Amino acid sequence: MPIETKVPAEIPRTLKTWVTVLDGIRLPVPKHSHDRVMAAINDSRRSLRDIAELMQDSPALVLSVMREANHPGNPSQAEPAESLEIALNRLGLARTEQLLKRLPSLPDEELPPVLCQFLLISQHAAQQASGLFASRLARLWQEIHWGSLLFLAPLWPLALAYPKLLDTWELRVIHKGEDAAQVEHELFGVRIMALCRAVAEHWRLPQWVTQGYRLLLEEREQLALVLNIARDSDELSQQHRLDEEPGLRRWFNQPANTVLLANNLALAAQVGWDNPHLLRWQLLTALYLQTSLDDVQQQVHQQAAASARHHARYAVFHPAEALIWPWQQRRPHPDMLTPPPPGSDDLARWRKLCQELLAQPSPFANAVHLASQAREALQACGMQRILLLSLDRTCDYLRVQQASGLPKEAEAIALQVPQNKLLQKLLSKAAQLRLTPDNHAQFAALLPAPLRTLFSGEHLLLRSLAVDDQVLMLAVADQGGKPLADVSVQAFGKTAQCIERALALFASRNP
């Protein structure tokens, strides 16, 4: 197991690079789990089974042990360990203790939220698998449990190191319905399922995990045929159609498919209980169990509630919460929610900054000092990503004067005015443009490429700032890509007027 976690600033773009990067990341373990397991290891009265049961509260700890036990460099190992107890037997207590000492442990409240969300999804999937399938396939309950818990494990280090990528993927693919292949190649350079399979194979995770990814990547035609049968409302007709396709029946009835079914039920439930993706996996589960859709939905809801009782944690969403919502209500992505208006302290600071902008005579020593004050005023009124650009003397370029909430490279941007009609229009006179989902398609294509890259999202404000009808600056701002709060939009407009007045006072000051 790697000791140091190294995350390159540049996002990987190939499978090989992704595997190398994710393989080098150590997942943090909740401190309470870490301490309990360490105490049990040092207690001679505890068996390996006791220790394995204690570890189950921390999926990250389970993964670390399984990876260590299945590491290719370990001697005397023909097959990967398929369960945690086998892995512990293979490692022994001494090596397990050494492993735990190398792992970072953090209090619950300090664990990264996106990682916590994915760990919770995996625990929910394991609960679904146990409730739906383990009792019917009791002899295989260990394979079902550990395969279901670890199926999404390749995404756990990704959620820790690059949470914004997964967050953006969810927003664009799940909530906005963009093409998954296009979004994934843009964000990751590779398809997510291919990445997960490559990592799972490299870590030598249980065979049912890699088998599930192979099905999603290489056996989608068979899955589509089975789904077609599952949509048949007559259960007897379903069985007749499967009987006519014995090869398809054998393929679909493989026990390993329980891992795939459970994880897709858990994943789809994150969006809402009434969505087409969840319905597809519920239909497939009903066909697999040879029962009705109503029965499966009832069982799935019961298992979600059971999972919430065991695994729910503060500030991390569990689908069981949505069982009491109106049936058609779905969980919105955080970036689709309007931020709260600025608080009273922020508004008081905003008024103070605007008063200083309007002070006579101008208190600013130079243009940089003035722009810095303007940026602070825009921040105080609720703007999270800000660019203030100044027009150069030739009027050919807009160069960054101040930036906030953006990558450092934003400070080096220079926008060519003559080559962009939208910039030309904004710089012809003082004007404001507000981008919304209704007009985003119309105007986004007209924005200079650097602005499109920096200000992802469908909500944006652009305001040209003028003195005596001559535009001197361009302000670009948003609230992190989220819908703009009306109070903040109004304050943005008033701030722009204060900045224009400050520019006029600064220009007329005595030398």
Side-chain angles (χ1 to χ4, degrees), residues 137-177:
L137 301 166
R139 187 172 50 86
L140 299 170
W141 77 268
Q142 290 225 43
E143 287 88 342
I144 291 172
H145 175 75
W146 297 114
S148 299
L149 183 68
L150 295 172
F151 186 76
L152 296 177
L155 293 177
W156 301 348
L158 183 61
L160 176 65
Y162 301 98
K164 189 60 182 174
L165 284 183
L166 286 173
D167 205 41
T168 303
W169 179 90
E170 180 191 348
L171 175 65
R172 294 177 59 182
V173 175
I174 303 300
H175 294 274
K176 294 185 177 180

Side-chain angles (χ1 to χ4, degrees), residues 322-336:
L323 287 172
I324 61 172
W325 297 354
W327 185 244
Q328 291 162 339
Q329 183 174 334
R330 297 186 184 179
R331 180 179 69 97
H333 188 278
D335 285 352
M336 300 173 73

Side-chain angles (χ1 to χ4, degrees), residues 403-421:
S404 176
L406 295 166
K408 189 168 181 61
E409 52 266 27
E411 298 174 9
I413 285 177
L415 304 178
Q416 291 187 341
V417 176
Q419 296 183 5
N420 188 281
K421 291 183 179 179

